[in-house]
Amino acid sequence: MNLSTADTKWNANLYDDKHSFVFKYGEDLVDLLSPVTGERILDLGCGTGYLTSVIAASGASVVGIDSSFDMIAKAKTAYPELDFKVQAATEFYFDEHFNAIFSNAVLHWVLQKEMAIDCMYRNLKKSGRLVLEFGGKHNVARIITALQNSLIKHGFVENAAIPLWYFPSLGEYTSLLEKRGFRVTYAAHFNRDTKLADTENGIKDWIKMFGSAFLKGIESNQVDEILTETQGVLAPTQFKNGEWFADYKRLRIIATK
Ligand code: BEZ
């Protein structure tokens, strides 16, 4: 799911192998969506298409979009019967509007949030619903702080200040939705400590996969030093019973047009 940042080039295979927790946690978001046969649904930021296929299993007609060409190529290969397109969250357009727009673990990448909200509004049918989950305020704050401190210590002050993600509070995002005309019917902001796949390099792998923009232009030996230091600093809070955990804070929102 790569919807706004040119510096973040996704590796679709690594994403599926080591970071599949992103879409596995999304399965109960599909329950919240409750898709039914005959509905037309958009999966916004569909990545490699796993949740799109879960939604399609309900009998609904689903379209998956993602701005990453590699992700869409992999989704099309994995689910050739489904409809996938390369489109960005801030400028997608469909002639036929949707009964629901679903988005899991994507909208924190979209810094132009008003544009995405406007697109979602315009592409929904009247009374259509949004079902969203993404990183909320303080999401991965421990990881970001430890990484920024290490970058600054090694002299990479500008890297440390790169704006990469948007993690709003519940009040902030629901206000933006209301301002555009949505009625928010459910909203929650909760902790979800998330187990990372690799018991040795869990934090390092997570940063390499998702936060590589922070490391842009830094020599590989220094990247190693920074990542080792960052992971070491996080060990007392994020390493438990032999496993690494990311300090995720999720926003879940349902709203209607
Ligand atoms: C998240 O799902 O919260 C997330 C994933 C990658 C980068 C930042 C946040």
Side-chain angles (χ1 to χ4, degrees):
M1 295 154 208
N2 175 20
L3 291 145
S4 69
T5 47
D7 287 342
T8 302
K9 176 98 174 77
W10 292 91
N11 176 332
N13 292 324
L14 183 64
Y15 179 75
D16 270 0
D17 291 348
K18 285 204 163 179
H19 303 278
S20 54
F21 59 81
V22 174
F23 48 77
K24 293 208 169 122
Y25 272 120
E27 284 189 33
D28 61 325
L29 193 67
V30 176
D31 293 340
L32 216 53
L33 172 70
S34 303
V36 292
T37 304
E39 282 194 311
R40 177 170 160 81
I41 296 182
L42 179 70
D43 181 3
L44 171 58
C46 62
T48 51
Y50 175 71
L51 291 177
T52 322
S53 76
V54 175
I55 296 169
S58 69
S61 150
V62 197
V63 182
I65 63 170
D66 203 291
S67 67
S68 161
F69 184 85
D70 288 353
M71 290 285 187
I72 290 295
K74 200 164 180 222
K76 282 183 172 171
T77 305
Y79 309 101
E81 70 287 8
L82 299 183
D83 187 5
F84 295 103
K85 294 184 177 14
V86 178
Q87 289 214 45
T90 50
E91 49 189 359
F92 63 92
Y93 176 80
F94 289 85
D95 284 333
E96 192 187 344
H97 293 169
F98 295 92
N99 297 99
I101 296 180
F102 170 93
S103 182
N104 179 55
V106 169
L107 290 170
H108 46 251
W109 292 101
V110 183
L111 303 185
Q112 292 166 303
K113 59 261 184 200
E114 289 93 348
M115 283 176 73
I117 290 172
D118 186 52
C119 264
M120 292 191 283
Y121 192 86
R122 282 188 287 108
N123 283 278
L124 270 179
K125 291 180 183 170
K126 191 164 180 290
S127 303
R129 64 198 187 282
L130 283 186
V131 178
L132 312 175
E133 180 175 317
F134 57 105
K137 193 165 178 173
H138 302 309
N139 194 40
V140 289
R142 285 186 178 146
I143 298 179
I144 296 173
T145 303
L147 177 61
Q148 285 173 329
N149 287 344
S150 182
L151 285 165
I152 292 166
K153 192 170 140 192
H154 286 79
F156 299 107
V157 176
E158 286 179 12
N159 287 62
I162 287 171
L164 189 53
W165 299 307
Y166 168 60
F167 298 134
S169 70
L170 183 150
E172 183 180 338
Y173 205 81
T174 54
S175 299
L176 289 176
L177 290 172
E178 287 174 349
K179 195 167 158 202
R180 183 59 187 88
F182 284 103
R183 184 166 68 92
V184 177
T185 56
Y186 171 87
H189 187 188
F190 56 95
N191 296 352
R192 185 195 282 142
D193 275 347
T194 299
K195 190 160 65 170
L196 302 175
D198 195 296
T199 52
E200 200 179 331
N201 293 311
I203 298 285
K204 292 183 184 184
D205 284 353
W206 189 93
I207 295 171
K208 282 189 207 158
M209 176 76 203
F210 298 117
S212 59
F214 283 116
L215 306 168
K216 200 175 165 215
I218 304 177
E219 302 264 332
S220 66
N221 60 328
Q222 279 197 295
V223 165
D224 285 345
E225 266 179 51
I226 289 166
L227 293 182
T228 302
E229 181 173 88
T230 302
Q231 186 167 277
V233 165
L234 288 166
T237 56
Q238 306 312 121
F239 192 67
K240 297 164 205 163
N241 302 321
E243 312 267 15
W244 287 101
F245 290 82
D247 54 328
Y248 277 26
K249 309 274 185 283
R250 315 313 287 165
L251 268 187
R252 262 190 183 189
I253 297 175
I254 303 179
T256 54
K257 174 170 172 177

